[in-house]
Amino acid sequence: MDTVGAQPDESPKQRVDRELSELLEEIRVVLPGVEILFGFLIVVPFSGGFGEISGFERVLYLASLLTTSAAMALLMAPTTYHRLRFREMDKERMLFTMSRLVIVASVLVLLAIGFAVYLVVESILGGVPAAVIATLNAAWFGWFWFGMPLMRRARENGTS
């Protein structure tokens, strides 16, 4: 078993148990925000002005709805995965799989937020400002969610 990330005097089993607990807690923090975004997106077509949006805006709306839905599926999957694989002595593999699901879900949430920001800003300022603001907003999320931790990893590994 890998000992990277192990605490002093922590057995490999204790490390995997702790990391699994940490992952599930992280999901508990992220999931409500994704659920709220999904809830708002579900009601949008039933609002008064939705019928007036263009074909491109409808595609972006659909993309935001579907990426949010896909992210929710990935964020909820670890719980079911854990229940189905319970006591099968596969916890470390399960942890790596769950971690990948959460990372992919984060990418999908980033995209969903970018699409939603574009749609809102486009209705206020128009297409070009919306594209610029949505891109900057997505870059902001991308930096803090992916860029910063990956840059630190590269520095710590001596590859920067």
Side-chain angles (χ1 to χ4, degrees):
M1 262 189 197
D2 187 14
T3 60
V4 174
Q7 301 296 320
D9 300 324
E10 184 177 49
S11 73
K13 182 189 178 318
Q14 289 171 323
R15 179 184 54 82
V16 170
D17 288 344
R18 176 183 52 79
E19 289 175 350
L20 179 60
S21 178
E22 289 172 355
L23 178 68
L24 293 174
E25 184 61 31
E26 291 164 0
I27 292 170
R28 282 186 204 99
V29 169
V30 172
L31 191 56
V34 176
E35 290 170 330
I36 290 168
L37 176 59
F38 189 64
F40 280 120
L41 288 168
I42 286 175
V43 301
V44 166
F46 303 104
S47 66
F50 188 77
E52 300 170 16
I53 69 171
S54 71
F56 176 68
E57 292 165 334
R58 286 176 186 267
V59 168
L60 278 182
Y61 165 77
L62 186 59
S64 186
L65 178 72
L66 294 176
T67 53
T68 304
S69 177
M72 267 185 28
L74 295 178
L75 289 170
M76 295 169 94
T79 303
T80 306
Y81 191 107
H82 182 248
R83 284 298 97 205
L84 292 172
R85 299 289 296 166
F86 184 67
R87 292 194 176 168
E88 292 191 20
M89 303 304 177
D90 190 30
K91 200 176 273 187
E92 187 167 29
R93 167 64 74 194
M94 180 173 54
L95 178 63
F96 281 104
T97 300
M98 290 176 178
S99 293
R100 289 182 186 103
L101 293 174
V102 170
I103 291 168
V104 173
S106 298
V107 171
L108 293 172
V109 171
L110 185 145
L111 290 171
I113 291 171
F115 298 147
V117 166
Y118 177 89
L119 289 170
V120 171
V121 176
E122 197 275 336
S123 72
I124 299 167
L125 300 176
V128 173
V132 171
I133 290 169
T135 300
L136 291 172
N137 185 261
W140 179 263
F141 276 83
W143 169 252
F144 288 106
W145 289 1
F146 302 103
M148 200 166 65
L150 290 174
M151 189 170 81
R152 182 164 179 187
R153 177 194 287 171
R155 281 187 188 151
E156 288 174 354
N157 291 339
T159 58
S160 64

